[in-house]
Amino acid sequence: EPAAIVAEAPFPIPQQWFLNGPYMVNATRHWRPLLNGYSGFRPASYDRSYEAMRTFPSDESLLALSKIGVTHVVVHQRAMNHGQPDDRYNPYENVGSLHLLTRDDDVLIYRLLRR
């Protein structure tokens, strides 16, 4: 989607923001703006983005992401489940603000619905 703004989960804690490197490589597949990032210094906006993602998919998190402008969330399910694979179900199927677009093995891609 041309106007997509993407966040990938799990979102690394500010002290480990270098873990966003693989997400930045992933972004070369879609070339859309990415909430996750990594460079030579960590801007204050990273900490705000982390706070928005910290409790994903809580209502507070989804509202904060929407305010930031995020439209899509890519979830790496095993990482969100602390390494445990569980691809039998959509873990956020009961979250009304998330619409599952597609999944591929460990990756689930959601559209964040505006309310």
Side-chain angles (χ1 to χ4, degrees), residues 44-103:
S45 62
Y46 186 88
D47 293 14
R48 291 189 298 272
S49 297
Y50 169 75
E51 283 303 314
M53 285 291 294
R54 189 174 56 81
T55 61
F56 178 83
S58 71
D59 290 340
E60 295 81 14
S61 174
L62 296 172
L63 182 60
L65 291 172
S66 181
K67 285 182 180 179
I68 291 171
V70 171
T71 60
H72 293 75
V73 179
V74 176
V75 175
H76 299 270
Q77 190 171 357
R78 285 187 197 97
M80 290 291 284
N81 292 337
H82 307 290
Q84 300 300 311
D86 192 351
D87 56 3
R88 296 170 294 158
Y89 70 105
N90 168 1
Y92 307 118
E93 66 187 331
N94 295 321
V95 179
S97 295
L98 292 175
H99 172 71
L100 181 65
L101 296 175
T102 190
R103 69 181 308 151

Side-chain angles (χ1 to χ4, degrees), residues 21-38:
Y23 296 159
M24 294 175 67
V25 172
N26 294 345
T28 64
R29 296 186 71 180
H30 56 74
W31 293 110
R32 300 295 175 243
L34 181 65
L35 193 63
N36 311 69
Y38 172 66

Side-chain angles (χ1 to χ4, degrees), residues 12-22 37-38 46:
I13 63 173
Q15 295 80 2
Q16 295 180 333
W17 72 317
F18 55 86
L19 295 175
N20 284 303
Y38 172 66
Y46 186 88

